[in-house]
Amino acid sequence: MSHLNKLSFFLICATVIFTTLAYGTVHQPVLAIFYLLIAGMAVLWAADCLANGVFRFSRNVLQIPLLLLGVYASIQIIPFGTFSESAGVSAIPRTISVEPFATQVTALHIFALCTFFALVLVYLESAARLRRIVTVITVFGFIYGFYAILQMVLSPDKIYGVYKPQSAVPFGSFVNRHDFAAIMEMALSIPLGMIFSGSVVRDKRLLYIVAIALMGSSLLLSGSRGGLIALIAEIMLLVILTSRAKGRRNLVLKAALSVALVAAAVGGAIFVGGDTSLTRFSDAAREDNVSSSRTQIWGVTIKVIAENLPLGAGLGAYAQAFTKHDPTSGYARVEQAHNDYLQVLADAGIVGLIIGALFLFWFFREGLRNVASTNTFRRGIAVGAFAGCFAILVHSLFDFVLHITAISVMFLTLMTMLVASGRKYPDDVDDSVQPPSKQRRSASVTSIDERSRPRK
């Protein structure tokens, strides 16, 4: 394995951590650094291919919906004629998007995420790499969750004790507490999947349980109700996936383990004190913040969808499309629909609906196939990654979590782990796999998915 290959994998892990710590990577200077990291990884990949004489790529179909979304965003900014002269201004391009510049920026961002996804699919190429990324996510989630709790106690209004958001409730490194909850849902899903599937050796189980309990406590302390609902959905899916056809006794044991882990998380949250997801349910009726009134925002979003069918208002142009139907006359700027499914319809119309349906179909097909792996270790990763991604899909019903760069990066990383868990590797721990035959240097093209066929 070349030094370029190792450096690329290191940058992938560093990107997952950096995007989370850098305020979720939503500010323009940090986004610029993110794009430079992606460009750097792409250059390293190209150099690695040239050095080894092999063009390495993945044919996994889960890349297609993201790529199609970027292509459609590019189509939405193509001028189709011009508007008639208005207020002395003429030759205004007529585009599908109501805000072409915002859509252009969104297209660039989608292509950057697509590049990151493609590179992770290439470089997560062995069981050893899977073990390393499991360790990275679990250890990072534990340390990050502990820091977030500490910050909540010492400086609840400021991120890193420096930055104080004006119109949101911060938690951890995120301006919005719901985004922190989304990261925790995914970070704790991996150790949860390993525990539920029996993939953790006996002498490490307590460490995993402690990490899960602390991350769960930090999620509850974030006060995100959507995060709590997503966590419950995640645990329910884990129980279902790991208890099928194994008898009632196994189901009861998994249910008891779920209750114990939730109780540990709740106990930790109560011990630390403060507002939690549980207590915020009782306060729901008293909230009157415009930015938090999801039912009102969803009602306006439906009007935006109806007005811009079938092509959508433009990816990234939701804020402009919302303004026309804003019942508060611009009192509060609403930039997201607080429901990723409704926003896809508002931004991309019927095309977005079709792309989203394709993604969900391929995602569930990949997940249900790979959680049946006969390799215990890879099955644990598949179960955890599938449950973590599922939790984000549930959370997306209440928030705009997938519009945050750090969450998208972690989500794509988990999806790659789900895909990689279905492959068969020479260094599998509990599979008797013969070493692969030595590849000839003259080979010109190699598909990662051909080199590592899933076990049938």
Side-chain angles (χ1 to χ4, degrees):
M1 190 174 295
S2 68
H3 293 296
L4 292 173
N5 187 297
K6 293 177 180 178
L7 180 58
S8 296
F9 180 71
F10 171 79
L11 285 178
I12 287 169
C13 296
T15 300
V16 173
I17 296 172
F18 169 76
T19 52
T20 300
L21 296 180
Y23 302 111
T25 312
V26 294
H27 302 95
Q28 293 304 322
V30 183
L31 279 168
I33 297 174
F34 170 66
Y35 296 147
L36 288 174
L37 282 171
I38 299 297
M41 285 187 281
V43 170
L44 287 174
W45 167 80
D48 191 29
C49 290
L50 287 173
N52 291 282
V54 178
F55 182 74
R56 304 174 65 225
F57 68 100
S58 172
R59 293 182 178 178
N60 189 268
V61 294
L62 283 172
Q63 300 171 94
I64 296 175
L66 191 58
L67 181 61
L68 289 177
L69 202 61
V71 170
Y72 185 56
S74 302
I75 293 172
Q76 287 181 315
I77 61 176
I78 297 175
F80 295 97
T82 59
F83 289 101
S84 58
E85 183 174 335
S86 175
V89 181
S90 60
I92 301 175
R94 184 188 297 272
T95 60
I96 295 173
S97 173
V98 300
E99 180 50 73
F101 178 73
T103 302
Q104 184 178 7
V105 171
T106 301
L108 172 65
H109 191 70
I110 292 172
F111 285 131
L113 290 173
C114 195
T115 302
F116 174 80
F117 189 27
L119 291 172
V120 184
L121 282 168
V122 167
Y123 286 110
L124 209 56
E125 58 183 351
S126 66
R129 286 269 169 94
L130 276 172
R131 285 191 288 272
R132 290 191 189 104
I133 203 159
V134 165
T135 302
V136 167
I137 291 176
T138 303
V139 172
F140 171 69
F142 174 79
I143 296 173
Y144 182 56
F146 177 76
Y147 165 75
I149 294 173
L150 193 63
Q151 178 177 277
M152 187 208 75
V153 174
L154 300 178
S155 181
D157 298 329
K158 293 182 179 180
I159 301 175
Y160 301 134
V162 177
Y163 176 45
K164 184 177 181 179
Q166 298 299 317
S167 57
V169 179
F171 204 89
S173 58
F174 289 92
V175 172
N176 191 318
R177 58 187 168 195
H178 306 293
D179 301 334
F180 172 86
I183 284 289
M184 281 296 107
E185 292 157 20
M186 291 184 284
L188 65 81
S189 71
I190 299 301
L192 270 175
M194 303 285 285
I195 286 288
F196 272 75
S197 61
S199 304
V200 182
V201 294
R202 188 183 299 273
D203 58 345
K204 292 184 179 180
R205 287 176 188 170
L206 182 58
L207 293 175
Y208 273 70
I209 291 172
V210 170
I212 291 167
L214 187 138
M215 286 189 272
S217 297
S218 67
L219 190 156
L220 293 177
L221 287 167
S222 72
S224 173
R225 292 180 296 236
L228 176 59
I229 293 171
L231 177 62
I232 293 171
E234 177 177 302
I235 293 175
M236 289 176 63
L237 182 64
L238 283 167
V239 172
I240 293 171
L241 292 176
T242 58
S243 302
R244 293 182 302 177
K246 292 185 179 180
R248 182 177 298 179
R249 181 174 178 272
N250 185 269
L251 179 61
V252 171
L253 288 174
K254 293 294 169 62
L257 176 61
S258 303
V259 172
L261 290 172
V262 171
V266 172
I270 293 174
F271 176 77
V272 174
D275 194 27
T276 70
S277 304
L278 297 171
T279 58
R280 287 194 68 240
F281 270 104
S282 62
D283 298 333
R286 296 197 296 272
E287 285 192 358
D288 56 1
N289 190 337
V290 174
S291 65
S292 300
S293 181
R294 288 171 175 78
T295 53
Q296 178 177 306
I297 294 173
W298 294 343
V300 176
T301 303
I302 291 172
K303 294 179 182 178
V304 173
I305 293 171
E307 181 183 25
N308 293 281
L309 282 176
L311 300 177
L315 286 156
Y318 176 82
Q320 288 71 26
F322 184 93
T323 302
K324 182 177 180 180
H325 305 279
D326 187 358
T328 64
S329 302
Y331 171 72
R333 179 176 173 86
V334 178
E335 298 187 354
Q336 309 293 348
H338 290 267
N339 182 310
D340 283 332
Y341 302 96
L342 287 179
Q343 189 154 347
V344 166
L345 280 172
D347 288 357
I350 300 300
V351 177
L353 177 65
I354 294 171
I355 293 173
L358 277 175
F359 166 73
L360 290 175
F361 171 75
W362 282 330
F363 166 72
F364 280 102
R365 186 183 67 175
E366 186 85 31
L368 293 174
R369 179 175 61 198
N370 292 350
V371 296
S373 172
T374 57
N375 180 285
T376 305
F377 172 71
R378 286 191 281 107
R379 183 171 66 250
I381 294 176
V383 168
F386 188 34
C389 291
F390 177 74
I392 292 299
L393 295 178
V394 172
H395 198 160
S396 292
L397 289 167
F398 313 103
D399 290 301
F400 50 93
V401 289
L402 283 174
H403 284 75
I404 307 302
T405 305
I407 297 172
S408 298
V409 166
M410 183 72 85
F411 182 80
L412 292 174
T413 302
L414 258 63
M415 278 213 302
T416 306
M417 295 172 70
L418 176 62
V419 172
S421 65
R423 300 172 184 160
K424 188 170 61 175
Y425 302 104
D427 58 339
D428 273 333
V429 175
D430 53 356
D431 277 347
S432 55
V433 180
Q434 296 297 323
S437 57
K438 197 171 183 179
Q439 291 186 342
R440 294 186 301 173
R441 189 177 177 81
S442 59
S444 59
V445 177
T446 299
S447 167
I448 296 299
D449 305 286
E450 287 181 346
R451 289 173 58 195
S452 306
R453 295 282 188 187
R455 181 180 296 278
K456 296 184 178 179

